Amino acid sequence: TVQGDPSVLNRPCVAIVGSRNASAAGLKLTALLARELGEAGFVVVSGLARGIDTAAHGASLESGTVAVLAGGLDEVYPPQNLPLLERLCERGAAVSEMPIGWAPRGRDFPRRNRLVSGLALGTVVVEAARKSGSLITARFANEQGRQVFAVPGSPLDPRAEGGNHLIREG
């Protein structure tokens, strides 16, 4: 199901994913990257989660962004992102494979991640712990033949372990 402007899905997309508990630097870098991708003609795709996803959507409102929801389009999680979702649907879209009325459960988020990566030419991991949904998205992207990019971070910051691991693994 799609809400908003479905034509945005016909443009080239790049996914930006990362930590819900993002650092200030990670949020700033995400906003810069999302704005520049939008200016270059790309639509930013993410999962509407707290942290990196919220920053990516917020910075790409003008150029177009796509939120992939884990629940039905009427079951926004987290609920505090409902105003952001309403704003992004003005020039972008919200997508869900779940029926209206479906409240997202824990196992729905990894399923959602395959759609985030599948809609995009590539996936950028900004911050990710060693075991995180962002790395699940990166794995899906790789399996789907998409490009995977990772932003390096401090070896002392657990939010950077996953991205640094992706870089080490090539």
Side-chain angles (χ1 to χ4, degrees):
T1 310
V2 178
Q3 177 181 329
D5 179 7
S7 71
V8 75
L9 296 167
N10 296 328
R11 294 174 35 209
C13 299
V14 173
I16 300 178
V17 297
S19 176
R20 286 173 171 80
N21 179 29
S23 69
L27 294 172
K28 185 175 183 177
L29 179 66
T30 298
L32 177 67
L33 184 59
R35 263 192 301 281
E36 289 183 359
L37 283 166
E39 289 168 3
F42 292 94
V43 172
V44 172
V45 178
S46 201
L48 200 69
R50 292 179 186 91
I52 298 299
D53 292 15
T54 298
H57 289 306
S60 57
L61 287 170
E62 292 302 312
S63 56
T65 183
V66 174
V68 182
L69 279 61
L73 291 175
D74 60 336
E75 293 287 340
V76 177
Y77 184 85
Q80 64 260 36
N81 276 354
L82 180 57
L84 174 62
L85 180 67
E86 290 169 350
R87 287 179 47 219
L88 76 79
C89 283
E90 293 171 10
R91 297 186 73 158
V95 177
S96 177
E97 67 180 336
M98 299 304 189
I100 297 296
W102 187 273
R105 300 163 301 171
R107 64 177 171 246
D108 297 326
F109 293 92
R111 290 179 56 180
R112 174 219 44 204
N113 293 349
R114 82 182 199 298
L115 298 177
V116 170
S117 60
L119 288 170
L121 298 170
T123 296
V124 180
V125 178
V126 177
E127 288 181 336
R130 192 74 140 118
K131 295 183 180 198
S132 70
S134 300
L135 293 187
I136 293 170
T137 309
R139 188 187 80 230
F140 281 133
N142 190 45
E143 290 171 359
Q144 294 162 337
R146 308 302 202 258
Q147 294 288 321
V148 177
F149 305 91
V151 175
S154 168
L156 301 176
D157 187 345
R159 292 173 291 212
E161 286 180 5
N164 290 343
H165 175 75
L166 288 172
I167 293 168
R168 272 194 307 278
E169 297 298 310

